Amino acid sequence: MSGRVIVITSGKGGVGKTTASANIGVALANTGASVCLVDMDIGLRNLDILMGLENRVVYNLVDVVEERCKLRQALVKDKRMPNLSLLPAAQTRDKTAVNAEQMKKLCEELKSMFDFVLVDSPAGIESGFQNAIAGAEEAIVITTPEMSAVRDADRIIGLLEAQKDQITQYRLVLNRLRPKMVANSDMMGVEDVLEILSVKLLGVVPEDEEIIISTNKGEPVSGTDNTRSGLAFRNIARRLRGEEVPFMDLDVKNDTWVTRIVNFFNPVRV
Amino acid sequence: MQILDWLFKVPTGATPGTAAVTAKDRMRNMLTHDRLELPAGKLEVLEEELTAVVARYFDLEPDTTRFDLKQIDRKAALIANFQLVRSKC
Ligand SMILES: Nc1ncnc2c1ncn2[C@@H]1O[C@H](COP(=O)(O)OP(=O)(O)O)[C@@H](O)[C@H]1O
Ligand SMILES: [Mg+2]
């Protein structure tokens, strides 16, 4: 088997990398694929919490790299989904604990075991970023529609462009979109951000309180029905698997009475 | 009710001066400079110098020079427009 290694990255912190990693991982696993989530935010371990697996972490990624345990021993299997595993980050080390060469080797091994290897990365554009992308062939760039996040996403896109030989494809996830604010021209919408960044869109995730609730429960929203953000992440997973899932314009672009009424009765499709 | 307020407020479209339009304009300008690693203000200096050079060869229509830095697929193009009256040569 040779799986796909996809790194989830953003530049700016707090825009939703870890949330997206957990949710896309669960959604992919629910389509039947085998998935490994890799937490490369070494020193700031989060992904285990979002997955509700924090009590089951024994070994971590640094233990594997430094050969204190076998890879299989460090993988935490999700009891709810046997085809989903987590390779946790070390909590007491820092970003320099794993180098690019070691990461590449680790990803090679994981690729032979899983259909999808999703790498959650730390904020920043320095060594932590370079190490996180070292084993990947694809990237998901995540941003919110805020100016500072878009600027940092642009830096990341520039860096990914410079490594085209390795990263053959990258697409954007726009997170925390507030359709009503966009409709009121209070913030940039999907079209605006896509135009500014000249990048392909993978999905749009609306601002949703359910994300906070699901984080507290340790059950990513994409695993449950009836949430808009969960649907958004499931659509992203389907698009990653090559399915054509239509986007709806979340922006109420030409804000007229007709579009308003249509959007009122037919709210968000993502 | 907030939804009703919103539904019955007069539609705005992409009105100049809104926060969204201002953000987009600022973003465009900022990213153009970021991508080229161009310090703020340098473009204005270039414009002045370039205009002075062209003005050595041509009489220029006053106040018509236009300088635009455009982005096309993440690549930047500098578009300068001078309205010429006659050659000085
Ligand atoms: N679509 C969303 N709606 C509401 N809250 C969100 C959304 N996406 C992320 N968040 C919240 O934003 C915060 C940062 O998200 P996180 O995934 O940890 O970002 P990162 O990993 O990029 O630092 C978290 O508290 C998370 O619950
Ligand atoms: Mg994170």
Side-chain angles (χ1 to χ4, degrees), chain A residues 193-204:
Chain A
V193 175
L194 289 183
E195 188 190 318
I196 285 164
L197 291 177
S198 323
V199 66
K200 279 200 205 111
L201 184 66
L202 179 62
V204 181

Side-chain angles (χ1 to χ4, degrees), chain A residues 147 150-151 154 157-158 180 183-188 192 195-198 253 255-257 260-261 264, chain B residues 3 6-15 18-21 23-24 26-28 30-31 34-35 73-74:
Chain A
M147 290 180 64
V150 174
R151 184 187 210 172
D154 191 68
I157 292 169
K180 251 176 253 164
N184 281 332
S185 300
D186 289 330
M187 69 192 298
M188 290 187 289
D192 298 325
E195 188 190 318
I196 285 164
L197 291 177
S198 323
K253 250 284 147 186
D255 186 18
T256 65
W257 298 114
R260 251 185 212 191
I261 289 159
F264 181 75
Chain B
I3 296 255
W6 165 75
L7 193 63
F8 290 107
K9 214 172 74 178
V10 175
T12 49
T15 319
T18 60
V21 171
K24 195 173 174 185
R26 289 176 63 205
M27 279 297 343
R28 268 210 203 93
M30 186 163 72
L31 293 189
D34 280 359
R35 288 170 189 171
D73 291 337
R74 300 185 65 82

Side-chain angles (χ1 to χ4, degrees), chain A residues 13-19 21 39 41 44 46-47 50 120-123:
Chain A
V15 298
K17 288 179 295 297
T18 305
T19 305
S21 302
D39 191 346
D41 200 350
L44 298 169
N46 278 173
L47 197 47
L50 268 69
D120 183 20
S121 60

